[in-house]
Amino acid sequence: MDFTHTEDRRMISDSLRRYLADQYGIEHRNQAAYEAPFHDTGKWAELAELGILGALVTEDQGGFGGHGFDIAVVFEELGRGLCPEPVLGNLLALRLYAALGQTERVDAIIAGTARAAVAVHETDAFVDLDEIAITANGSGDSVTLTGRKSVVYGGNSADHILVVAKNASGLGLYEIAPGDAEVMGYAMIDGGGAAEVILENTQATTLSEDARGIIEAALDAGRLALCAEAVGIMDVLRDTVKDYLLQRQQFGRPIALFQALQHRLVDFSIEIEQARSIVILAASKLDAEDRALHIARAKNLIGRAGKLVAEEAIQMHGGIGMTWEYGASHYAKRLIMLDAQLGDTEDQLRTSMELAAA
Amino acid sequence: MDFTHTEDRRMISDSLRRYLADQYGIEHRNQAAYEAPFHDTGKWAELAELGILGALVTEDQGGFGGHGFDIAVVFEELGRGLCPEPVLGNLLALRLYAALGQTERVDAIIAGTARAAVAVHETDAFVDLDEIAITANGSGDSVTLTGRKSVVYGGNSADHILVVAKNASGLGLYEIAPGDAEVMGYAMIDGGGAAEVILENTQATTLSEDARGIIEAALDAGRLALCAEAVGIMDVLRDTVKDYLLQRQQFGRPIALFQALQHRLVDFSIEIEQARSIVILAASKLDAEDRALHIARAKNLIGRAGKLVAEEAIQMHGGIGMTWEYGASHYAKRLIMLDAQLGDTEDQLRTSMELAAA
Amino acid sequence: MDLNFTAEEDAFRAEVRQFLKDNLSDEIVAKMRGMEELTKEDLENWHATLQSRNWLAAGWPVQHGGPGWNATQRHIFDEECSAANAPRIVPFGLGMLGPVLLKFGTEEQKAEILPRILDGSDWWCQGYSEPGAGSDLASLKTKAERDGDDYIINGQKTWTTLGQFANKIFCLVRTSSEGKPQEGISFVLVDLDTPGIEMRPIRLLEGGYEVNEVFFTDVRVPVANRVGEENEGWTIAKYLLTHERTNIAGVGASTQALAELKMLAAKVSRKGKPLSIDPIFMAKVAETEIDLEAMRITNLRMLSADATGREAGTVSSMLKIKGTVIRQSINDLARRALGPAACPFPSEEVIGNLAVAPPEAARNAADYFNNRKLSIFGGSNEIQRNIITKNLFGA
Amino acid sequence: MDLNFTAEEDAFRAEVRQFLKDNLSDEIVAKMRGMEELTKEDLENWHATLQSRNWLAAGWPVQHGGPGWNATQRHIFDEECSAANAPRIVPFGLGMLGPVLLKFGTEEQKAEILPRILDGSDWWCQGYSEPGAGSDLASLKTKAERDGDDYIINGQKTWTTLGQFANKIFCLVRTSSEGKPQEGISFVLVDLDTPGIEMRPIRLLEGGYEVNEVFFTDVRVPVANRVGEENEGWTIAKYLLTHERTNIAGVGASTQALAELKMLAAKVSRKGKPLSIDPIFMAKVAETEIDLEAMRITNLRMLSADATGREAGTVSSMLKIKGTVIRQSINDLARRALGPAACPFPSEEVIGNLAVAPPEAARNAADYFNNRKLSIFGGSNEIQRNIITKNLFGA
């Protein structure tokens, strides 16, 4: 057993942490996160240079990482820096392109010269791939797609959009050029961009007609990423609360001396350690047979811990925690909202119950 | 609107409270509650004299109460006094005999000269009457019963046992003499008696061949009783914790000054008020069309509040709360265990979800 | 024990319901269901509508222009307003300053100020909290120094709700630094047009604008604008903290929010089935509903007892805590019900053109974040627990 | 990062598993699964079995008769013992006094006492808590006054676990009332046969007997029985509080209890279906299982870091709190699973003849009540939170 990261992972983690702390302060972040294109294209290129995209796929696939712990260290730092860049959407796309051997796309994304996004959600298919309704018309080179994909993370700033759609053999994966569809971008409530993608006889390239396995794997990689991001956020929130309790005076003394607050801080600090542990376990299982179960369990625990930490962080800050101006409130907001991405606490609980019973 | 009890109800409540405080102290209680017949037959007669059994059925039926609030005031005091007498089992029996016009039995129970119990539970039918497996053989005067009824409250000291069993028209109600079956009595873990009743071609008198409605009503009366009992117990536990926090010194001062404990005491005190409120609502609905929904809701809330109060009361007492010698631990034990009687927190939640959706 | 309303009370309820049906526009109802911020005009119009029936100042006695309702009538009125999705009455003039003047004001103050609240001439806001003194009011630092017949006020107030719509503010200010911190406080009325006052918006975490900071620099206010005696403002502050109790639990608003949640759960799906038949999610809805049912009765018990003093403080603090917990739980479930459709920032454009969520639910996440304030503002739940503790231990 | 055990560690695990398979009787396993109290003989036999393999004193170095395992080996051993339903090793001599002597004892003390722990000649118990000083050890009052080469001890100890089986007790006693309360405490070893000692049973709330009060009246103990310096017992007490960390989370026991719970849920039914397919109940089981999975990793992280000092205190307190919460949650669910079959007092007669519940589950309610102690004894969870607070704020 060894709970230390490799030298390589420590390096990328350190450099990403430094970069975000120096170059992506909270004020700049809040500007970039809420004004179209809801991220900073210049910084995107710099992040690519730092290698954070290359870290998300294996050497064979053109990157230099690609294992669970590679994803985890990158996203933990993205969380710590509250980075609104569309790394999640590009992670999903990278994993799919890489699995399909689309080297050109993989290389372009890693180099930061192209961005991509994956359109999965539909209004009545939030998390369950079985419920996807959009169906590919035609086959091979002449496929068209019609319907609406909802809340496509990073879809507003993507050069390529991968669309998950039904076909005769199950679930396929199709690529469209955003210009061929109606892509309506918007900010998310916790910052960063997403889009509605409205397809109407939209020309698509078939990447795979039987992609269910790789789609599930990519979504699980995305879930792991969100879990690790949450851990980074929670660490910041705990430290912020701690500092605030020491600095804030009430009734003539620092509120850190109020035992009721102390014990609540302890209780959520314990949950943060639990969250860190379950992410380690899930990361170690990303390439294992029981991946899906462990990922679902991790995201369930992260959802519960995240809600506790976010709500307590706001509450223990009092009024200041309610304001846009204060950084911690944005961390809390992101922590709550990431639960809604790729299946929330209850969705993951249902999944883990099904998988454990199977 | 009026949230004060009638003069009559206040009187019975006051006299029962005084009687239990004077005559049924915790030491005597713990002796009676755990030694066969797991209650005090002398005190039973005195309780009957006080009128607490008469209060459980209406004037028409030979009593002088019988409404939700009559049951509630009696059981709240039984809870406050942690009384192990088999009032619950006799309440169920009384309501059934009364509904069927069995005046002789009703009068005898009210007078304290006979005790009865109702056998409902089976190993695979804890709460759902649909799952009852024991089936009446024969009809009219020559009915026999075979099978096992489990955890019959007060069954160990009953002169008559009412058995719920299936028949061609649905659920029937049958009376047996305990001597005709194998009745194996035992103490419950929180004191008081119950029994396994093993029937083997046991002769039974048919009281009703279509009794489902009155059985459900009687069980709901029992649930209301348990809820009210819980409120009496919770009041005692809150006061005991309060006194203990004031008296117990740690690190040189009363632990009542520790804010973490203060806030937890507040939180469970709030739940006690919620519990009191839901019992009032449920009591007001005992004769209403939506009785079942309101009773299920009440018992669900009581289950949740009871667990919180019982566990916090033990925890906040520290070691002393873990001991047999200390009274509060028995209150906590009863509060936890009454949840298991007649359908627990989750059972009641399922029921209320079904009824609300219907 | 009788949980029923009297025939007269039922008739009164019917009357209120009919009035709301006749006078509440579909547009306002849609805004309320969609949790949109109401404009100043929306609020003023609604006040005027109620005042046309003499129902605006629910808690005021008849001789000062109120309807003279008892607590039960006010409760029924609140319930019906919530059920109809009527706007909440802005409380600062009607629910706070009005009662303060009725108890502590001079006849001149009452005669001058109360009618202007009723007819909408004045919009009051509240200057209580300060950056360093949120829940710990007694430590406030905004100073009022006597200069002839005036006070000169210097300092800063914060969390002033809807200050952007107001022309007047009532403030707690420090008029003496001697004795205990509570002892040197006075309650003064200030015209927001007075030179030296600056109001700056505070944006809340979800992006909305409803609270403000107010800066006072050498602001000159006549001593005659003081309510009550000098250095006795604490009495008024405490009165205000425990006075407004009929609607502290927010039962009506939570009931309405829960109804919306259940409708939403029937509209959205999980794993191919309506969320409304998912046992894991609906178990949480059901337990929240049960808690709300209980709180409705707790609220009625308090109304009925019409308690005063220490016990009233305990009960109203309990209702505040449990009421906010329940409301926040409903908000949380409503946000979750949307799944990823909760993610978009609810701009006009998103709601108008993109329809990511059912439109009336598009602000669910924003509302969840905004309502975290409920357990913080107006005396945080921690402060409420301290109040209850004091009462429990008789300290 | 590597969560896997090495090949050597896997081999060690296999060896332990085989040993347990060969040496653990069905009778003991049945008692353990049924949560029965083990007899003194049961425990002594199991100690002897382990000692026959040199595996009894898991934490002791080789030269004193321990197996010389590292933390990972000890963890594997604990996991396998729990999974096999082996009795827990009674910790007072082996896990507590042993390490204290190894660190603070004289060579004579080690030579005399340690072998007698290993061979079962002595059964030690603990004299720490007092009626007025549970979690607040520093305020203890039991006095040891010097009289020549003896101490004369007067006072009372309580919560002495399995004292009824012991012939020796180690105690914290007050040897000076000067300075800070912690400063005048000494650690002494007492023979329970010494005149003036009386042990009285304390019955626990569920009816079981495992703890005792111990009364000291003019009990004469040689000064040579002191471990460490006079008035420096506090150092030993603190060492003991943070020393025994490998099994503080109780992961193995909780894992086993959870497995029993799931088997039980498949056996009992609700509304005609196995409880194991009821989503509301099983959601709670699943979340508890997830928490336990996380804690298993937290525990391994701590083992791996082998932290010392402040951080170790924080982590072990965290594991204590979360470990007890999880265990108590499993106990709660197991009790609930039984429905009304949880009600009977689990006497021999009920379990033997009445079979109200599945026999191995008949003590579930009693076990639930008994395990409320987990968050109270051995430094309550409140005290653990205080410890963590101190470390968090660096105070």
Side-chain angles (χ1 to χ4, degrees):
Chain A
M1 257 180 321
D2 179 6
F3 286 90
T4 54
H5 283 300
T6 60
E7 181 74 22
D8 286 354
R9 287 181 190 137
R10 281 208 304 277
M11 269 180 53
I12 195 157
S13 164
D14 289 348
S15 62
L16 179 53
R17 185 185 300 205
R18 266 197 313 273
Y19 174 79
L20 292 175
D22 295 348
Q23 303 293 320
Y24 224 130
I26 186 77
E27 281 181 33
H28 178 69
R29 183 268 173 194
N30 281 347
Q31 199 171 11
Y34 290 100
E35 278 174 21
F38 314 118
H39 75 116
D40 180 329
T41 49
K43 304 260 187 263
W44 178 261
E46 292 172 12
L47 286 170
E49 262 172 59
L50 278 177
I52 70 154
L53 294 157
L56 306 178
V57 288
T58 66
E59 238 171 307
D60 291 353
Q61 296 166 330
F64 54 85
H67 296 290
F69 292 114
D70 299 302
I71 295 174
V73 293
V74 166
F75 275 84
E76 188 175 328
E77 293 309 323
L78 293 171
R80 199 182 310 278
L82 200 64
C83 180
E85 295 296 315
V87 192
L88 177 67
N90 282 280
L91 165 70
L92 300 178
L94 258 179
R95 303 286 290 193
L96 288 168
Y97 281 130
L100 294 168
Q102 298 272 342
T103 320
E104 199 185 315
R105 292 278 190 258
V106 169
D107 293 347
I109 293 172
I110 289 178
T113 53
R115 279 186 298 270
V118 180
V120 190
H121 300 317
E122 297 172 14
T123 306
D124 286 318
F126 283 159
V127 280
D128 193 352
L129 296 176
D130 290 336
E131 302 304 320
I132 282 181
I134 293 181
T135 307
N137 274 319
S139 66
D141 285 349
S142 71
V143 166
T144 62
L145 298 167
T146 298
R148 175 177 180 145
K149 286 289 183 181
S150 206
V151 200
V152 179
Y153 309 122
N156 62 304
S157 67
D159 300 300
H160 315 287
I161 295 179
L162 292 170
V163 180
V164 176
K166 281 204 300 192
N167 60 34
S169 39
L171 274 188
L173 196 63
Y174 304 88
E175 186 187 74
I176 63 159
D180 293 341
E182 194 182 350
V183 176
M184 303 192 294
Y186 47 78
M188 295 194 288
I189 192 165
D190 51 333
E196 301 298 286
V197 177
I198 294 163
L199 307 157
E200 195 165 347
N201 291 318
T202 303
Q203 276 296 329
T205 309
T206 304
L207 297 188
S208 164
E209 292 199 326
D210 183 14
R212 180 153 185 147
I214 60 168
I215 293 166
E216 283 177 350
L219 292 175
D220 275 348
R223 292 182 182 112
L224 172 63
L226 288 164
C227 290
E229 184 183 350
V231 169
I233 292 173
M234 287 193 264
D235 276 341
V236 173
L237 282 173
R238 183 202 50 235
D239 291 345
T240 312
V241 168
K242 220 173 78 178
D243 293 346
Y244 182 78
L245 295 185
L246 283 170
Q247 161 252 310
R248 168 76 170 176
Q249 304 267 327
Q250 213 168 56
F251 305 106
R253 50 193 193 133
I255 60 177
L257 295 177
F258 290 107
Q259 197 195 32
L261 300 183
Q262 292 172 353
H263 283 199
R264 284 160 59 182
L265 174 61
V266 166
D267 283 343
F268 83 62
S269 296
I270 292 174
E271 295 309 315
I272 295 175
E273 292 315 310
Q274 288 282 93
R276 195 184 321 282
S277 292
I278 205 90
V279 169
I280 291 172
L281 180 60
S284 79
K285 295 286 191 177
L286 190 66
D287 301 317
E289 216 173 295
D290 51 357
R291 178 200 76 219
L293 174 63
H294 283 283
I295 296 286
R297 284 179 168 174
K299 197 154 186 294
N300 168 269
L301 189 147
I302 291 288
R304 290 182 284 134
K307 176 171 146 67
L308 177 73
V309 173
E311 292 182 351
E312 282 290 65
I314 294 173
Q315 184 71 25
M316 289 170 78
H317 272 97
I320 190 91
M322 283 297 299
T323 66
W324 185 275
E325 213 182 330
Y326 194 69
S329 64
H330 294 275
Y331 278 85
K333 214 162 43 169
R334 174 75 192 126
L335 185 54
I336 288 291
M337 294 312 299
L338 64 77
D339 183 52
Q341 295 186 283
L342 307 182
D344 72 6
T345 313
E346 281 82 32
D347 295 323
Q348 303 299 319
L349 184 63
R350 285 180 210 108
T351 302
S352 50
M353 288 165 72
E354 278 167 23
L355 291 171
Chain B
M1 259 181 318
D2 180 5
F3 285 90
T4 53
H5 283 300
T6 59
E7 181 76 21
D8 285 355
R9 288 181 189 137
R10 281 206 305 277
M11 269 179 54
I12 193 156
S13 163
D14 289 348
S15 61
L16 179 53
R17 185 185 300 205
R18 266 197 312 272
Y19 174 80
L20 292 174
D22 295 348
Q23 303 293 320
Y24 222 130
I26 188 78
E27 281 180 36
H28 178 69
R29 183 266 171 196
N30 282 346
Q31 197 169 14
Y34 292 99
E35 278 173 22
F38 315 117
H39 74 117
D40 180 329
T41 49
K43 302 262 189 261
W44 177 261
E46 291 172 12
L47 286 170
E49 261 172 58
L50 277 177
I52 71 153
L53 294 158
L56 305 178
V57 287
T58 65
E59 237 171 309
D60 291 354
Q61 296 167 330
F64 55 86
H67 296 291
F69 292 113
D70 298 302
I71 295 174
V73 295
V74 166
F75 275 83
E76 188 174 329
E77 293 310 323
L78 293 172
R80 200 182 310 277
L82 199 64
C83 180
E85 296 296 316
V87 191
L88 177 68
N90 281 281
L91 165 69
L92 300 178
L94 257 179
R95 301 286 289 192
L96 288 168
Y97 282 131
L100 294 168
Q102 298 272 343
T103 320
E104 198 185 314
R105 292 280 190 258
V106 169
D107 292 347
I109 293 172
I110 289 178
T113 54
R115 279 187 299 270
V118 180
V120 190
H121 301 316
E122 298 172 12
T123 305
D124 286 319
F126 283 159
V127 280
D128 193 351
L129 296 177
D130 291 335
E131 303 304 320
I132 282 181
I134 293 181
T135 307
N137 275 319
S139 65
D141 284 348
S142 71
V143 167
T144 62
L145 298 168
T146 298
R148 176 177 180 144
K149 288 288 183 181
S150 206
V151 200
V152 178
Y153 309 121
N156 62 304
S157 67
D159 301 297
H160 316 286
I161 295 179
L162 293 169
V163 180
V164 176
K166 280 204 300 191
N167 59 34
S169 39
L171 275 188
L173 196 63
Y174 305 88
E175 187 186 74
I176 63 160
D180 293 342
E182 193 182 351
V183 176
M184 303 193 293
Y186 46 79
M188 295 193 289
I189 191 163
D190 51 333
E196 301 298 285
V197 177
I198 294 163
L199 307 157
E200 196 164 347
N201 291 319
T202 303
Q203 276 298 329
T205 310
T206 303
L207 297 187
S208 164
E209 293 199 324
D210 183 13
R212 180 154 185 146
I214 61 168
I215 293 166
E216 283 176 350
L219 291 175
D220 276 347
R223 293 181 182 112
L224 172 63
L226 289 163
C227 290
E229 184 182 350
V231 169
I233 292 173
M234 288 194 263
D235 276 340
V236 173
L237 282 173
R238 184 203 48 236
D239 291 346
T240 311
V241 168
K242 219 172 79 176
D243 293 347
Y244 183 77
L245 295 185
L246 283 170
Q247 161 252 310
R248 169 76 169 176
Q249 304 267 326
Q250 213 169 56
F251 305 106
R253 51 195 191 131
I255 60 176
L257 294 178
F258 291 108
Q259 196 195 32
L261 300 182
Q262 293 172 355
H263 283 199
R264 284 160 59 182
L265 174 61
V266 166
D267 284 342
F268 83 62
S269 296
I270 291 175
E271 295 309 315
I272 296 175
E273 292 314 310
Q274 288 282 92
R276 195 184 322 283
S277 290
I278 206 89
V279 170
I280 291 172
L281 179 60
S284 79
K285 295 286 191 178
L286 190 66
D287 301 318
E289 217 171 293
D290 51 357
R291 177 201 77 218
L293 174 63
H294 284 283
I295 296 286
R297 284 178 168 174
K299 197 153 185 297
N300 168 269
L301 189 146
I302 290 288
R304 290 182 284 135
K307 175 170 147 67
L308 176 73
V309 172
E311 292 183 351
E312 283 290 65
I314 293 173
Q315 184 70 25
M316 290 170 77
H317 272 97
I320 189 93
M322 284 297 301
T323 65
W324 184 277
E325 211 183 334
Y326 193 69
S329 64
H330 293 275
Y331 278 85
K333 214 162 42 168
R334 174 75 191 124
L335 186 53
I336 288 291
M337 293 312 297
L338 64 77
D339 184 52
Q341 296 184 283
L342 307 183
D344 72 5
T345 312
E346 281 82 32
D347 295 323
Q348 302 300 319
L349 184 62
R350 287 179 208 108
T351 302
S352 50
M353 287 165 73
E354 277 167 22
L355 291 171
Chain C
M1 281 281 181
D2 183 4
L3 275 68
N4 297 311
F5 291 96
T6 63
E8 291 75 30
E9 287 162 347
D10 285 339
F12 173 71
R13 184 186 292 278
E15 192 187 346
V16 173
R17 192 173 295 180
Q18 187 61 46
F19 176 84
L20 293 168
K21 199 177 157 197
D22 295 344
N23 289 281
L24 198 54
S25 72
D26 291 348
E27 189 204 336
I28 292 291
V29 168
K31 280 191 177 187
M32 289 293 294
R33 289 192 60 202
M35 293 155 280
E36 282 183 65
E37 286 173 19
L38 299 183
T39 64
K40 185 177 181 185
E41 206 192 347
D42 288 337
L43 293 166
E44 286 179 335
N45 286 345
W46 182 240
H47 280 200
T49 302
L50 291 174
Q51 181 54 15
S52 73
R53 184 67 179 260
N54 207 33
W55 283 358
L56 178 59
W60 297 12
V62 175
Q63 71 266 33
H64 287 103
W69 287 335
N70 62 26
T72 306
Q73 286 172 301
R74 293 183 59 189
H75 170 77
I76 290 170
F77 180 74
D78 288 339
E79 272 196 338
E80 290 301 317
C81 285
S82 298
N85 283 301
R88 210 180 150 192
I89 294 169
V90 182
F92 308 104
L94 291 152
M96 302 174 87
L97 181 59
V100 161
L101 290 176
L102 288 165
K103 189 163 171 82
F104 300 97
T106 62
E107 289 313 311
E108 291 72 27
Q109 286 172 329
K110 291 182 208 171
E112 188 196 325
I113 299 168
L114 295 179
R116 292 176 57 84
I117 295 177
L118 286 180
D119 68 13
S121 308
D122 289 336
W123 184 307
W124 286 89
C125 65
Q126 185 186 35
Y128 264 40
S129 298
E130 298 184 4
S135 293
D136 174 19
L137 272 183
S139 74
L140 63 86
K141 292 196 179 63
T142 296
K143 240 185 222 164
E145 285 172 302
R146 194 68 176 258
D147 181 39
D149 288 342
D150 292 338
Y151 288 118
I152 314 286
I153 302 181
N154 279 285
Q156 183 192 345
K157 293 292 177 180
T158 192
W159 312 128
T160 299
T161 302
L162 298 189
Q164 67 266 41
F165 296 160
N167 65 328
K168 307 267 187 182
I169 186 168
F170 55 88
C171 297
L172 289 177
V173 293
R174 180 157 300 288
T175 39
S176 163
S177 53
E178 283 165 34
K180 287 193 208 161
Q182 307 70 321
E183 277 168 18
I185 292 169
S186 300
F187 188 100
V188 295
L189 309 178
V190 183
D191 199 313
L192 283 169
D193 290 339
T194 320
I197 298 180
E198 191 197 347
M199 187 164 310
R200 291 186 206 155
I202 299 174
R203 197 177 183 197
L204 290 186
L205 82 167
E206 88 290 357
Y209 170 31
E210 60 190 35
V211 292
N212 300 269
E213 296 178 292
V214 191
F215 295 83
F216 295 81
T217 314
D218 294 332
V219 175
R220 188 168 282 271
V221 176
V223 169
N225 282 18
R226 195 188 63 228
V227 180
E229 295 304 306
E230 190 166 272
N231 298 333
E232 292 186 2
W234 187 246
T235 316
I236 301 179
K238 275 199 307 186
Y239 173 74
L240 257 186
L241 275 177
T242 52
H243 171 77
E244 189 53 35
R245 300 189 294 113
T246 52
N247 200 17
I248 197 165
V251 174
S254 284
T255 303
Q256 195 51 30
L258 187 76
E260 292 282 344
L261 167 61
K262 286 159 101 177
M263 284 187 276
L264 176 61
K267 279 186 198 170
V268 298
S269 67
R270 287 296 188 288
K271 306 221 171 193
K273 289 176 194 155
L275 185 59
S276 54
I277 63 165
D278 175 70
I280 293 177
F281 187 83
M282 293 310 290
K284 296 181 184 184
V285 176
E287 290 196 335
T288 303
E289 184 168 15
I290 294 169
D291 289 346
L292 179 55
E293 276 288 279
M295 195 176 61
R296 188 169 65 78
I297 305 297
T298 310
N299 200 37
L300 292 174
R301 281 168 55 205
M302 188 195 67
L303 276 182
S304 167
D306 214 354
T308 49
R310 169 165 293 173
E311 207 193 317
T314 297
V315 178
S316 81
S317 291
M318 284 184 169
L319 286 170
K320 169 88 200 295
I321 295 170
K322 193 70 189 177
T324 57
V325 167
I326 289 174
R327 180 59 185 273
Q328 291 174 336
S329 161
I330 296 170
N331 284 137
D332 178 53
L333 292 165
R335 167 181 65 71
R336 281 166 188 277
L338 288 177
C343 294
F345 190 96
S347 64
E348 293 301 322
E349 192 206 349
V350 165
I351 298 176
N353 305 321
L354 303 187
V356 184
E360 73 280 8
R363 285 189 180 82
N364 276 5
D367 197 46
Y368 160 82
F369 287 113
N370 181 277
N371 274 345
R372 301 312 303 173
K373 75 186 174 196
L374 295 176
S375 49
I376 296 174
F377 292 170
S380 72
N381 283 10
E382 288 75 23
I383 293 292
Q384 306 295 341
R385 288 192 185 93
N386 289 346
I387 291 172
I388 298 171
T389 298
K390 272 195 193 161
N391 296 348
L392 273 174
F393 289 118
Chain D
M1 279 280 181
D2 183 5
L3 275 67
N4 298 310
F5 290 95
T6 62
E8 291 75 32
E9 287 162 348
D10 286 339
F12 174 71
R13 184 186 294 277
E15 193 187 348
V16 173
R17 193 173 295 180
Q18 188 61 46
F19 176 84
L20 293 168
K21 201 177 155 196
D22 295 342
N23 289 281
L24 198 54
S25 71
D26 291 347
E27 187 204 339
I28 292 290
V29 169
K31 279 192 177 186
M32 288 293 293
R33 288 192 62 202
M35 292 155 280
E36 282 183 65
E37 284 172 22
L38 299 183
T39 63
K40 185 177 181 184
E41 205 192 349
D42 289 335
L43 292 165
E44 285 179 336
N45 287 344
W46 183 240
H47 280 202
T49 303
L50 290 174
Q51 182 55 16
S52 73
R53 185 64 180 257
N54 207 33
W55 284 359
L56 178 60
W60 297 12
V62 174
Q63 72 265 36
H64 287 103
W69 288 336
N70 62 24
T72 306
Q73 285 171 301
R74 293 184 58 190
H75 170 78
I76 290 169
F77 180 74
D78 288 338
E79 272 195 339
E80 289 302 316
C81 286
S82 298
N85 284 303
R88 209 181 150 192
I89 295 169
V90 183
F92 308 104
L94 291 152
M96 301 172 85
L97 180 59
V100 160
L101 289 177
L102 287 165
K103 190 165 172 81
F104 300 97
T106 62
E107 289 312 311
E108 292 72 27
Q109 286 172 330
K110 290 182 211 172
E112 187 194 327
I113 300 169
L114 295 178
R116 294 176 55 83
I117 296 176
L118 287 179
D119 69 12
S121 309
D122 289 336
W123 184 307
W124 287 88
C125 64
Q126 185 186 35
Y128 263 40
S129 298
E130 298 185 3
S135 294
D136 174 19
L137 273 183
S139 74
L140 63 87
K141 293 196 177 62
T142 296
K143 240 187 222 164
E145 285 172 305
R146 192 70 175 258
D147 181 41
D149 288 341
D150 292 339
Y151 290 117
I152 314 285
I153 302 181
N154 279 285
Q156 184 192 344
K157 294 290 177 182
T158 190
W159 313 128
T160 298
T161 301
L162 299 187
Q164 67 266 41
F165 297 160
N167 64 328
K168 306 267 186 179
I169 184 167
F170 54 89
C171 297
L172 290 177
V173 293
R174 182 158 298 288
T175 38
S176 161
S177 52
E178 282 165 34
K180 287 193 209 162
Q182 319 48 335
E183 276 167 18
I185 293 170
S186 300
F187 187 101
V188 297
L189 310 177
V190 183
D191 199 313
L192 282 170
D193 290 339
T194 321
I197 297 180
E198 190 198 347
M199 188 163 312
R200 293 186 203 155
I202 299 175
R203 196 176 183 198
L204 290 186
L205 81 169
E206 88 288 356
Y209 168 33
E210 61 189 38
V211 292
N212 300 270
E213 296 178 292
V214 191
F215 295 83
F216 295 81
T217 312
D218 295 330
V219 175
R220 188 170 283 271
V221 176
V223 170
N225 281 18
R226 195 187 63 225
V227 179
E229 294 305 306
E230 189 166 89
N231 298 332
E232 292 185 4
W234 188 245
T235 315
I236 301 180
K238 275 200 306 184
Y239 173 75
L240 256 186
L241 274 177
T242 53
H243 170 78
E244 189 53 36
R245 300 190 295 114
T246 52
N247 200 17
I248 196 164
V251 174
S254 284
T255 302
Q256 195 50 30
L258 186 75
E260 292 282 345
L261 166 62
K262 287 159 98 177
M263 285 188 274
L264 177 61
K267 279 186 199 172
V268 298
S269 68
R270 288 297 188 286
K271 306 221 170 191
K273 289 178 194 153
L275 185 58
S276 54
I277 64 164
D278 175 70
I280 293 178
F281 187 82
M282 292 310 289
K284 294 181 186 184
V285 175
E287 290 196 335
T288 303
E289 183 167 16
I290 293 169
D291 289 346
L292 178 56
E293 276 288 280
M295 197 175 61
R296 188 170 64 78
I297 305 297
T298 309
N299 200 38
L300 292 175
R301 281 168 53 205
M302 189 196 67
L303 276 183
S304 167
D306 215 356
T308 48
R310 170 165 294 173
E311 206 192 320
T314 297
V315 177
S316 81
S317 291
M318 283 184 170
L319 286 170
K320 169 90 201 295
I321 294 171
K322 193 69 192 181
T324 56
V325 167
I326 288 173
R327 180 59 186 272
Q328 291 175 337
S329 161
I330 296 169
N331 284 137
D332 178 54
L333 291 164
R335 167 181 63 73
R336 282 166 188 278
L338 289 177
C343 292
F345 190 97
S347 63
E348 292 302 322
E349 191 205 350
V350 165
I351 297 176
N353 304 321
L354 302 187
V356 184
E360 74 280 8
R363 285 188 179 83
N364 277 3
D367 198 46
Y368 160 84
F369 287 114
N370 181 275
N371 273 345
R372 300 311 304 173
K373 76 187 174 195
L374 295 176
S375 50
I376 295 174
F377 292 170
S380 71
N381 283 8
E382 288 74 24
I383 292 292
Q384 306 295 343
R385 288 192 186 94
N386 289 346
I387 292 172
I388 298 171
T389 298
K390 271 194 193 159
N391 296 348
L392 273 175
F393 289 118

